[in-house]
Amino acid sequence: MSEPHIENSPQVSDEVKQTTCYMCACRCGINVHIRDEKIRYIEGNRDHPINKGVLCAKGSAGIMQHYSPARLKSPMKRVGPRGSGQFEPISWEEALSTATEWLAPIRKSDPKKLAFFTGRDQSQALTSWWAQQFGTPNFAAHGGFCSVNMAAGGIYTIGGAFWEFGAPDWNLTEIFVLFGVAEDHDSNPIKIGLGKVKGRGKRVVSVNPVQTGYAAISDDWYGITPGTDGLLIISLIRELMRSGNIDVDYLRRYTNSPWLVIRNPGAANDGLFLRDSDGCPQVIDRSTGKIVSHTTKNISTAMHGEIALDGGGVATPAFVIMGETYMDDAYAPESVCATVGISADRIRQFAADLAEAAFAKEVVINQPWTDWKGEKHKTMIGRPVSMHAMRGISAHSNGFQTCRALHVLQLMLGSIEVPGGWRFKPPYPKPPEAHPKPAGRPDQIQAGKPLAGAPLGYVLGPDDLLLNADGGPQRIDKAYSWDAPMSAHGLMHMVISNAVAWRSIPC
Ligand code: SF4
């Protein structure tokens, strides 16, 4: 009897198209196999820099975007009572003429009366542009209740966040810390990175209420009480400060912690950075004790002390205020342990592990380089601690401040933009000043005209808020008002309740 022939490399396609997976925000490269003009199979593109051939189950399921029997094939019109689920397909001509009939009078009279809030559509560049062209500032997508706290906290603190803004230095990091459920957004790159870190025998640490997903392969798991990551992070900062395990030279050179803050209680300038007549932040030169511009080359800036100001009050480095704030006993491991659900000893050990990786295992690369001031360095010093977090710590009412605290922790360790740490990808880091401001002030809205700018952006001060003539919120979600001044992607989750509450308020 002859052996049965087994075809172990059947031809699955007569054409392969390269494109990008859109099933999550990771944007992996994919090869789409097509046979008889139908998609047969999706595989990861081994030549793509993001995923290097790795494809997750969701990416494979991208085929269902085309062939799921449940997908919409044409616009649908409701034909039964609201909530009855009775719809019928209609033509695009009918859909567009219905939409025009409803929307044209609003655009001609008062375009802000259209509230256009979309879901997780991955096409926000287009929908935002459409809202702008219509003329309404009342636009946002899902980001306000998802991971945008991470992006906004990151952009305001370090000029970018985790996510696709950059990546850990997988080849040199000694310890990789994951906060929360961090499996979205950078999914496949994180999987590849975890393989590299574990393959080199380095530590993976997970801070997560449950030890599932990526946490399942962690060497250390901190089973934190949900929503308390910020408190744990501040306690870690306190512990690092208390034990002297912070990179003061890094903070001095590459952060605004030496910038002088005015302390003048009761005065309008209390709490603002001290600036010269050109708006340049000021620091104290340690060798002379004098106030100079922070851009002055070849000085060592003071991180302690205070200096009297001619106009009244004193100025002190921001680092002093950070110390006063973080060293509060309220953040001692013994004070926070019951709330975060992790013992004081383990919190101290966590801080000690971070310090050991950052300082006892520092990376030194013999590569001369020139920093932002033009000062030259013979070597590159790396602090091999890297971190990643996403929606898990972001989607809380304290998410923005938690994300900011996490980036401050990285800065304290000197582990951003260094070998072994977290490294940005161009065009990041980008300061908030490089991002657009939201449009939607009363003078930026005109009947029948586009809005004078994109509806979403980053505010830099009170002048950028979107307030009505009474100083109240201009947008239906109250974004960029005194209620929620830094809501970078709007507050989609507030629209329906605000609409109901405002229905009784006369225009
Ligand atoms: S991680 Fe998965 S779903 Fe996301 S882009 Fe990559 S293949 Fe697609």
Side-chain angles (χ1 to χ4, degrees):
M1 241 173 88
S2 61
E3 291 289 322
H5 173 71
I6 297 172
E7 176 54 84
N8 53 13
S9 291
Q11 189 183 341
V12 293
S13 54
D14 46 35
E15 192 182 3
V16 180
K17 296 266 192 200
Q18 261 95 39
T19 185
T20 307
C21 178
Y22 245 61
M23 296 295 280
C24 84
C26 217
R27 311 285 185 254
C28 296
I30 52 173
N31 295 333
V32 181
H33 290 257
I34 298 166
R35 194 168 76 194
D36 300 333
E37 299 189 345
K38 291 204 100 183
I39 301 170
R40 308 296 300 215
Y41 169 60
I42 297 173
E43 67 173 350
N45 179 349
R46 285 163 199 261
D47 298 325
H48 197 276
I50 292 222
N51 58 318
K52 300 185 173 66
V54 176
L55 188 76
C56 77
K58 205 158 69 159
S60 304
I63 195 168
M64 296 307 277
Q65 289 209 332
H66 297 267
Y67 301 132
S68 164
R71 77 194 188 283
L72 292 178
K73 296 178 190 158
S74 68
M76 304 290 280
K77 179 180 176 182
R78 177 164 58 82
V79 292
R82 188 180 289 275
S84 66
Q86 293 170 271
F87 290 88
E88 68 178 22
I90 56 170
S91 68
W92 278 105
E93 287 73 25
E94 184 182 349
L96 289 170
S97 73
T98 304
T100 308
E101 191 187 314
W102 289 351
L103 296 175
I106 298 174
R107 186 167 192 265
K108 270 199 205 115
S109 58
D110 187 358
K112 76 170 181 305
K113 286 191 173 169
L114 173 68
F116 180 45
F117 287 77
T118 67
R120 184 70 170 98
D121 56 4
Q122 300 217 36
S123 56
Q124 201 173 314
L126 177 64
T127 51
S128 164
W129 180 83
W130 190 91
Q132 183 180 344
Q133 299 314 308
F134 188 87
T136 181
N138 284 311
F139 163 79
H142 82 298
F145 65 81
C146 187
S147 295
V148 167
N149 272 328
M150 195 78 248
I155 284 169
Y156 277 116
T157 311
I158 55 172
F162 300 120
W163 209 330
E164 58 261 41
F165 294 90
D169 184 352
W170 301 115
N171 295 321
L172 291 176
T173 201
E174 288 285 332
I175 189 167
F176 174 57
V177 188
L178 279 160
F179 282 85
V181 179
E183 290 152 36
D184 51 341
H185 290 89
D186 230 14
S187 171
N188 279 344
I190 296 283
K191 287 175 207 149
I192 296 167
L194 283 167
K196 283 187 179 171
V197 174
K198 298 285 282 186
R200 291 192 299 113
K202 305 302 177 186
R203 295 189 84 70
V204 172
V205 176
S206 164
V207 181
N208 194 326
V210 289
Q211 197 176 10
T212 56
Y214 299 161
I217 60 161
S218 59
D219 300 286
D220 294 316
W221 170 58
Y222 293 90
I224 193 166
T225 304
T228 65
D229 303 67
L231 192 56
L232 171 66
I233 291 164
I234 293 174
S235 189
L236 291 171
I237 293 172
R238 183 186 188 279
E239 200 50 24
L240 291 168
M241 281 185 136
R242 188 196 60 76
S243 58
N245 283 307
I246 57 173
D247 192 338
V248 177
D249 191 51
Y250 177 98
L251 292 168
R252 175 179 279 137
R253 288 178 181 279
Y254 309 124
T255 75
N256 59 4
S257 54
W259 290 12
L260 292 172
V261 177
I262 300 165
R263 288 182 142 172
N264 197 6
N269 62 359
D270 184 42
L272 299 181
F273 284 125
L274 181 69
R275 297 174 187 271
D276 66 12
S277 53
D278 295 326
C280 187
Q282 304 291 285
V283 294
I284 299 174
D285 178 351
R286 278 166 89 198
S287 62
T288 63
K290 295 224 161 80
I291 294 178
V292 295
S293 159
H294 86 112
T295 53
T296 311
K297 278 192 190 179
N298 301 316
I299 56 162
S300 177
T301 49
M303 299 292 269
H304 297 282
E306 66 177 27
I307 197 160
L309 298 175
D310 287 345
V314 298
T316 190
F319 186 71
V320 171
I321 300 169
M322 291 173 77
E324 290 167 1
T325 307
Y326 290 121
M327 290 311 293
D328 191 315
D329 285 346
Y331 305 124
E334 286 75 11
S335 305
V336 307
C337 59
T339 308
V340 303
I342 298 165
S343 72
D345 283 349
R346 287 203 79 209
I347 294 172
R348 268 191 290 273
Q349 186 59 51
F350 192 174
D353 289 347
L354 294 174
E356 190 195 354
F359 301 107
K361 297 180 179 172
E362 82 171 14
V363 175
V364 181
I365 296 181
N366 288 315
Q367 173 62 51
W369 64 289
T370 307
D371 68 21
W372 67 278
K373 268 196 208 175
E375 292 179 6
K376 298 198 182 303
H377 304 263
K378 290 198 177 119
T379 58
M380 305 184 95
I381 304 294
R383 305 280 174 218
V385 176
S386 57
M387 299 184 184
H388 183 75
M390 278 312 303
R391 194 182 190 282
I393 66 163
S394 169
H396 285 274
S397 55
N398 62 22
F400 179 68
Q401 301 298 358
T402 296
C403 297
R404 291 183 63 217
L406 184 51
H407 292 311
V408 171
L409 171 62
Q410 292 178 286
L411 292 170
M412 289 285 177
L413 291 163
S415 67
I416 292 180
E417 287 286 67
V418 293
W422 167 264
R423 298 182 307 180
F424 282 109
K425 286 189 291 200
Y428 292 91
K430 214 157 63 157
E433 291 83 355
H435 292 264
K437 293 172 183 173
R441 292 192 316 264
D443 62 304
Q444 293 174 314
I445 303 168
Q446 281 190 60
K449 297 246 169 83
L451 192 67
L456 300 177
Y458 287 81
V459 300
L460 297 177
D463 292 345
D464 301 331
L465 295 180
L466 305 184
L467 306 173
N468 62 24
D470 300 330
Q474 172 78 351
R475 291 173 49 121
I476 190 169
D477 59 354
K478 303 190 182 180
Y480 311 116
S481 72
W482 289 110
D483 274 36
M486 297 165 111
S487 46
H489 274 213
L491 301 162
M492 180 192 176
H493 44 298
M494 298 306 299
V495 175
I496 292 175
S497 53
N498 288 355
V500 170
W502 284 0
R503 212 166 34 177
S504 57
I505 300 174
C507 295

mmCIF file of all heavy atoms in Angstrom, residues 381-416:
data_model
loop_
_atom_site.group_PDB
_atom_site.id
_atom_site.type_symbol
_atom_site.label_atom_id
_atom_site.label_comp_id
_atom_site.label_asym_id
_atom_site.label_seq_id
_atom_site.Cartn_x
_atom_site.Cartn_y
_atom_site.Cartn_z
ATOM 1 N N ILE A 381 25.219 57.545 30.320
ATOM 2 C CA ILE A 381 24.865 56.786 31.524
ATOM 3 C C ILE A 381 23.423 56.312 31.389
ATOM 4 O O ILE A 381 22.523 57.101 31.089
ATOM 5 C CB ILE A 381 24.984 57.669 32.789
ATOM 6 C CG1 ILE A 381 26.378 58.266 32.901
ATOM 7 C CG2 ILE A 381 24.610 56.864 34.051
ATOM 8 C CD1 ILE A 381 27.475 57.269 33.143
ATOM 9 N N GLY A 382 23.213 55.040 31.595
ATOM 10 C CA GLY A 382 21.860 54.498 31.510
ATOM 11 C C GLY A 382 21.382 53.982 32.850
ATOM 12 O O GLY A 382 22.168 53.444 33.639
ATOM 13 N N ARG A 383 20.091 54.179 33.130
ATOM 14 C CA ARG A 383 19.453 53.639 34.340
ATOM 15 C C ARG A 383 18.487 52.552 33.856
ATOM 16 O O ARG A 383 17.382 52.864 33.391
ATOM 17 C CB ARG A 383 18.684 54.732 35.078
ATOM 18 C CG ARG A 383 19.537 55.950 35.433
ATOM 19 C CD ARG A 383 20.370 55.697 36.658
ATOM 20 N NE ARG A 383 21.287 56.794 36.909
ATOM 21 C CZ ARG A 383 22.527 56.610 37.359
ATOM 22 N NH1 ARG A 383 23.001 55.398 37.569
ATOM 23 N NH2 ARG A 383 23.306 57.639 37.582
ATOM 24 N N PRO A 384 18.898 51.269 33.944
ATOM 25 C CA PRO A 384 18.140 50.219 33.245
ATOM 26 C C PRO A 384 16.858 49.766 33.936
ATOM 27 O O PRO A 384 16.689 48.603 34.273
ATOM 28 C CB PRO A 384 19.162 49.086 33.129
ATOM 29 C CG PRO A 384 20.105 49.294 34.257
ATOM 30 C CD PRO A 384 20.140 50.767 34.544
ATOM 31 N N VAL A 385 15.958 50.737 34.132
ATOM 32 C CA VAL A 385 14.622 50.456 34.674
ATOM 33 C C VAL A 385 13.626 50.907 33.614
ATOM 34 O O VAL A 385 13.686 52.050 33.165
ATOM 35 C CB VAL A 385 14.364 51.263 35.966
ATOM 36 C CG1 VAL A 385 12.941 51.027 36.464
ATOM 37 C CG2 VAL A 385 15.378 50.912 37.034
ATOM 38 N N SER A 386 12.749 50.026 33.192
ATOM 39 C CA SER A 386 11.749 50.444 32.201
ATOM 40 C C SER A 386 10.363 50.082 32.694
ATOM 41 O O SER A 386 10.193 49.188 33.529
ATOM 42 C CB SER A 386 12.032 49.837 30.834
ATOM 43 O OG SER A 386 12.078 48.443 30.931
ATOM 44 N N MET A 387 9.375 50.807 32.175
ATOM 45 C CA MET A 387 8.005 50.647 32.674
ATOM 46 C C MET A 387 7.027 50.724 31.518
ATOM 47 O O MET A 387 7.358 51.208 30.433
ATOM 48 C CB MET A 387 7.677 51.754 33.685
ATOM 49 C CG MET A 387 8.586 51.719 34.892
ATOM 50 S SD MET A 387 8.140 52.937 36.116
ATOM 51 C CE MET A 387 9.467 52.697 37.303
ATOM 52 N N HIS A 388 5.827 50.227 31.777
ATOM 53 C CA HIS A 388 4.744 50.371 30.805
ATOM 54 C C HIS A 388 3.425 50.362 31.568
ATOM 55 O O HIS A 388 3.260 49.628 32.540
ATOM 56 C CB HIS A 388 4.762 49.239 29.779
ATOM 57 C CG HIS A 388 3.714 49.394 28.711
ATOM 58 N ND1 HIS A 388 3.838 50.300 27.683
ATOM 59 C CD2 HIS A 388 2.514 48.791 28.531
ATOM 60 C CE1 HIS A 388 2.763 50.232 26.910
ATOM 61 N NE2 HIS A 388 1.950 49.321 27.398
ATOM 62 N N ALA A 389 2.514 51.189 31.142
ATOM 63 C CA ALA A 389 1.179 51.221 31.740
ATOM 64 C C ALA A 389 0.230 51.714 30.672
ATOM 65 O O ALA A 389 0.642 52.365 29.711
ATOM 66 C CB ALA A 389 1.151 52.164 32.940
ATOM 67 N N MET A 390 -1.035 51.381 30.841
ATOM 68 C CA MET A 390 -2.016 51.906 29.888
ATOM 69 C C MET A 390 -3.349 52.110 30.592
ATOM 70 O O MET A 390 -3.390 52.633 31.674
ATOM 71 C CB MET A 390 -2.165 50.976 28.677
ATOM 72 C CG MET A 390 -1.109 51.140 27.610
ATOM 73 S SD MET A 390 -0.772 52.828 27.072
ATOM 74 C CE MET A 390 -2.339 53.379 26.530
ATOM 75 N N ARG A 391 -4.409 51.556 30.002
ATOM 76 C CA ARG A 391 -5.760 51.862 30.457
ATOM 77 C C ARG A 391 -6.006 51.505 31.922
ATOM 78 O O ARG A 391 -6.786 52.164 32.608
ATOM 79 C CB ARG A 391 -6.760 51.118 29.572
ATOM 80 C CG ARG A 391 -8.164 51.620 29.739
ATOM 81 C CD ARG A 391 -9.115 50.819 28.867
ATOM 82 N NE ARG A 391 -10.412 51.460 28.854
ATOM 83 C CZ ARG A 391 -11.301 51.373 29.844
ATOM 84 N NH1 ARG A 391 -11.014 50.679 30.919
ATOM 85 N NH2 ARG A 391 -12.460 51.981 29.762
ATOM 86 N N GLY A 392 -5.328 50.473 32.421
ATOM 87 C CA GLY A 392 -5.575 50.020 33.786
ATOM 88 C C GLY A 392 -5.385 51.106 34.823
ATOM 89 O O GLY A 392 -6.150 51.209 35.778
ATOM 90 N N ILE A 393 -4.334 51.936 34.674
ATOM 91 C CA ILE A 393 -4.166 53.015 35.659
ATOM 92 C C ILE A 393 -4.790 54.308 35.169
ATOM 93 O O ILE A 393 -4.982 55.239 35.940
ATOM 94 C CB ILE A 393 -2.679 53.270 36.020
ATOM 95 C CG1 ILE A 393 -1.879 53.799 34.833
ATOM 96 C CG2 ILE A 393 -2.035 52.019 36.592
ATOM 97 C CD1 ILE A 393 -0.565 54.431 35.257
ATOM 98 N N SER A 394 -5.100 54.353 33.866
ATOM 99 C CA SER A 394 -5.588 55.595 33.273
ATOM 100 C C SER A 394 -7.075 55.811 33.509
ATOM 101 O O SER A 394 -7.518 56.929 33.777
ATOM 102 C CB SER A 394 -5.288 55.549 31.771
ATOM 103 O OG SER A 394 -5.931 56.572 31.088
ATOM 104 N N ALA A 395 -7.862 54.735 33.401
ATOM 105 C CA ALA A 395 -9.320 54.898 33.396
ATOM 106 C C ALA A 395 -9.894 54.941 34.807
ATOM 107 O O ALA A 395 -10.734 54.128 35.188
ATOM 108 C CB ALA A 395 -9.954 53.773 32.581
ATOM 109 N N HIS A 396 -9.404 55.863 35.585
ATOM 110 C CA HIS A 396 -9.948 56.132 36.917
ATOM 111 C C HIS A 396 -10.130 57.636 37.047
ATOM 112 O O HIS A 396 -9.511 58.400 36.310
ATOM 113 C CB HIS A 396 -8.961 55.690 38.015
ATOM 114 C CG HIS A 396 -8.913 54.209 38.205
ATOM 115 N ND1 HIS A 396 -9.775 53.539 39.018
ATOM 116 C CD2 HIS A 396 -8.101 53.284 37.662
ATOM 117 C CE1 HIS A 396 -9.500 52.251 38.985
ATOM 118 N NE2 HIS A 396 -8.488 52.068 38.170
ATOM 119 N N SER A 397 -10.922 58.057 38.034
ATOM 120 C CA SER A 397 -11.059 59.500 38.243
ATOM 121 C C SER A 397 -9.709 60.106 38.629
ATOM 122 O O SER A 397 -9.463 61.288 38.421
ATOM 123 C CB SER A 397 -12.097 59.787 39.326
ATOM 124 O OG SER A 397 -11.741 59.095 40.502
ATOM 125 N N ASN A 398 -8.783 59.285 39.179
ATOM 126 C CA ASN A 398 -7.454 59.801 39.540
ATOM 127 C C ASN A 398 -6.409 59.455 38.470
ATOM 128 O O ASN A 398 -5.209 59.588 38.690
ATOM 129 C CB ASN A 398 -7.005 59.248 40.898
ATOM 130 C CG ASN A 398 -6.860 57.720 40.897
ATOM 131 O OD1 ASN A 398 -6.700 57.115 39.834
ATOM 132 N ND2 ASN A 398 -6.890 57.097 42.053
ATOM 133 N N GLY A 399 -6.895 58.993 37.289
ATOM 134 C CA GLY A 399 -5.972 58.468 36.268
ATOM 135 C C GLY A 399 -4.923 59.470 35.812
ATOM 136 O O GLY A 399 -3.744 59.129 35.664
ATOM 137 N N PHE A 400 -5.320 60.712 35.573
ATOM 138 C CA PHE A 400 -4.380 61.713 35.065
ATOM 139 C C PHE A 400 -3.232 61.924 36.049
ATOM 140 O O PHE A 400 -2.057 61.901 35.679
ATOM 141 C CB PHE A 400 -5.143 63.022 34.825
ATOM 142 C CG PHE A 400 -4.305 64.163 34.327
ATOM 143 C CD1 PHE A 400 -3.745 64.138 33.063
ATOM 144 C CD2 PHE A 400 -4.101 65.283 35.124
ATOM 145 C CE1 PHE A 400 -2.985 65.201 32.592
ATOM 146 C CE2 PHE A 400 -3.347 66.353 34.665
ATOM 147 C CZ PHE A 400 -2.792 66.312 33.401
ATOM 148 N N GLN A 401 -3.590 62.088 37.338
ATOM 149 C CA GLN A 401 -2.541 62.326 38.333
ATOM 150 C C GLN A 401 -1.702 61.059 38.567
ATOM 151 O O GLN A 401 -0.500 61.139 38.835
ATOM 152 C CB GLN A 401 -3.151 62.814 39.660
ATOM 153 C CG GLN A 401 -3.961 64.092 39.539
ATOM 154 C CD GLN A 401 -3.154 65.299 39.073
ATOM 155 O OE1 GLN A 401 -1.954 65.231 38.851
ATOM 156 N NE2 GLN A 401 -3.815 66.416 38.881
ATOM 157 N N THR A 402 -2.333 59.889 38.465
ATOM 158 C CA THR A 402 -1.569 58.639 38.614
ATOM 159 C C THR A 402 -0.540 58.516 37.494
ATOM 160 O O THR A 402 0.622 58.153 37.737
ATOM 161 C CB THR A 402 -2.533 57.433 38.591
ATOM 162 O OG1 THR A 402 -3.394 57.523 39.723
ATOM 163 C CG2 THR A 402 -1.784 56.117 38.651
ATOM 164 N N CYS A 403 -0.962 58.813 36.278
ATOM 165 C CA CYS A 403 -0.034 58.726 35.141
ATOM 166 C C CYS A 403 1.103 59.733 35.308
ATOM 167 O O CYS A 403 2.270 59.416 35.030
ATOM 168 C CB CYS A 403 -0.777 58.960 33.827
ATOM 169 S SG CYS A 403 -2.038 57.699 33.517
ATOM 170 N N ARG A 404 0.782 60.922 35.773
ATOM 171 C CA ARG A 404 1.833 61.926 35.995
ATOM 172 C C ARG A 404 2.817 61.434 37.062
ATOM 173 O O ARG A 404 4.039 61.572 36.911
ATOM 174 C CB ARG A 404 1.224 63.263 36.423
ATOM 175 C CG ARG A 404 0.452 63.946 35.303
ATOM 176 C CD ARG A 404 -0.057 65.292 35.747
ATOM 177 N NE ARG A 404 1.044 66.178 36.053
ATOM 178 C CZ ARG A 404 1.040 67.069 37.039
ATOM 179 N NH1 ARG A 404 -0.002 67.187 37.817
ATOM 180 N NH2 ARG A 404 2.081 67.837 37.249
ATOM 181 N N ALA A 405 2.269 60.857 38.130
ATOM 182 C CA ALA A 405 3.141 60.369 39.210
ATOM 183 C C ALA A 405 4.073 59.275 38.690
ATOM 184 O O ALA A 405 5.256 59.218 39.053
ATOM 185 C CB ALA A 405 2.296 59.851 40.369
ATOM 186 N N LEU A 406 3.556 58.414 37.826
ATOM 187 C CA LEU A 406 4.386 57.333 37.292
ATOM 188 C C LEU A 406 5.560 57.894 36.484
ATOM 189 O O LEU A 406 6.698 57.410 36.597
ATOM 190 C CB LEU A 406 3.525 56.401 36.426
ATOM 191 C CG LEU A 406 4.206 55.165 35.862
ATOM 192 C CD1 LEU A 406 4.928 54.375 36.927
ATOM 193 C CD2 LEU A 406 3.179 54.269 35.164
ATOM 194 N N HIS A 407 5.286 58.925 35.707
ATOM 195 C CA HIS A 407 6.383 59.529 34.940
ATOM 196 C C HIS A 407 7.378 60.250 35.856
ATOM 197 O O HIS A 407 8.579 60.268 35.584
ATOM 198 C CB HIS A 407 5.836 60.483 33.871
ATOM 199 C CG HIS A 407 5.098 59.763 32.771
ATOM 200 N ND1 HIS A 407 5.621 58.666 32.126
ATOM 201 C CD2 HIS A 407 3.884 59.970 32.229
ATOM 202 C CE1 HIS A 407 4.758 58.234 31.221
ATOM 203 N NE2 HIS A 407 3.692 59.003 31.263
ATOM 204 N N VAL A 408 6.878 60.832 36.945
ATOM 205 C CA VAL A 408 7.804 61.453 37.911
ATOM 206 C C VAL A 408 8.698 60.372 38.531
ATOM 207 O O VAL A 408 9.909 60.579 38.714
ATOM 208 C CB VAL A 408 7.031 62.245 38.995
ATOM 209 C CG1 VAL A 408 7.977 62.707 40.107
ATOM 210 C CG2 VAL A 408 6.334 63.456 38.378
ATOM 211 N N LEU A 409 8.128 59.203 38.814
ATOM 212 C CA LEU A 409 8.941 58.097 39.343
ATOM 213 C C LEU A 409 10.070 57.753 38.361
ATOM 214 O O LEU A 409 11.231 57.568 38.757
ATOM 215 C CB LEU A 409 8.046 56.877 39.590
ATOM 216 C CG LEU A 409 8.729 55.565 39.948
ATOM 217 C CD1 LEU A 409 9.510 55.696 41.261
ATOM 218 C CD2 LEU A 409 7.711 54.424 40.071
ATOM 219 N N GLN A 410 9.730 57.675 37.081
ATOM 220 C CA GLN A 410 10.762 57.386 36.071
ATOM 221 C C GLN A 410 11.842 58.480 36.073
ATOM 222 O O GLN A 410 13.038 58.185 35.968
ATOM 223 C CB GLN A 410 10.148 57.304 34.674
ATOM 224 C CG GLN A 410 9.228 56.120 34.451
ATOM 225 C CD GLN A 410 8.640 56.166 33.056
ATOM 226 O OE1 GLN A 410 7.762 56.970 32.770
ATOM 227 N NE2 GLN A 410 9.140 55.322 32.179
ATOM 228 N N LEU A 411 11.387 59.736 36.187
ATOM 229 C CA LEU A 411 12.349 60.844 36.178
ATOM 230 C C LEU A 411 13.257 60.789 37.398
ATOM 231 O O LEU A 411 14.464 61.058 37.316
ATOM 232 C CB LEU A 411 11.615 62.190 36.132
ATOM 233 C CG LEU A 411 10.873 62.511 34.837
ATOM 234 C CD1 LEU A 411 9.995 63.745 35.005
ATOM 235 C CD2 LEU A 411 11.847 62.721 33.685
ATOM 236 N N MET A 412 12.679 60.455 38.549
ATOM 237 C CA MET A 412 13.483 60.372 39.779
ATOM 238 C C MET A 412 14.612 59.357 39.623
ATOM 239 O O MET A 412 15.705 59.521 40.160
ATOM 240 C CB MET A 412 12.600 59.956 40.953
ATOM 241 C CG MET A 412 11.642 61.021 41.385
ATOM 242 S SD MET A 412 12.530 62.293 42.276
ATOM 243 C CE MET A 412 11.248 63.461 42.604
ATOM 244 N N LEU A 413 14.312 58.294 38.875
ATOM 245 C CA LEU A 413 15.325 57.256 38.665
ATOM 246 C C LEU A 413 16.261 57.611 37.502
ATOM 247 O O LEU A 413 17.232 56.885 37.248
ATOM 248 C CB LEU A 413 14.635 55.917 38.374
ATOM 249 C CG LEU A 413 13.880 55.295 39.558
ATOM 250 C CD1 LEU A 413 12.921 54.224 39.069
ATOM 251 C CD2 LEU A 413 14.866 54.717 40.576
ATOM 252 N N GLY A 414 15.958 58.678 36.790
ATOM 253 C CA GLY A 414 16.785 59.065 35.637
ATOM 254 C C GLY A 414 16.685 58.054 34.503
ATOM 255 O O GLY A 414 17.660 57.822 33.785
ATOM 256 N N SER A 415 15.486 57.467 34.340
ATOM 257 C CA SER A 415 15.401 56.345 33.396
ATOM 258 C C SER A 415 14.584 56.651 32.147
ATOM 259 O O SER A 415 14.073 55.740 31.512
ATOM 260 C CB SER A 415 14.837 55.112 34.116
ATOM 261 O OG SER A 415 13.494 55.337 34.479
ATOM 262 N N ILE A 416 14.475 57.931 31.804
ATOM 263 C CA ILE A 416 13.795 58.277 30.550
ATOM 264 C C ILE A 416 14.832 58.791 29.556
ATOM 265 O O ILE A 416 15.689 59.605 29.903
ATOM 266 C CB ILE A 416 12.707 59.342 30.807
ATOM 267 C CG1 ILE A 416 11.587 58.707 31.637
ATOM 268 C CG2 ILE A 416 12.156 59.891 29.495
ATOM 269 C CD1 ILE A 416 10.459 59.631 31.974
#
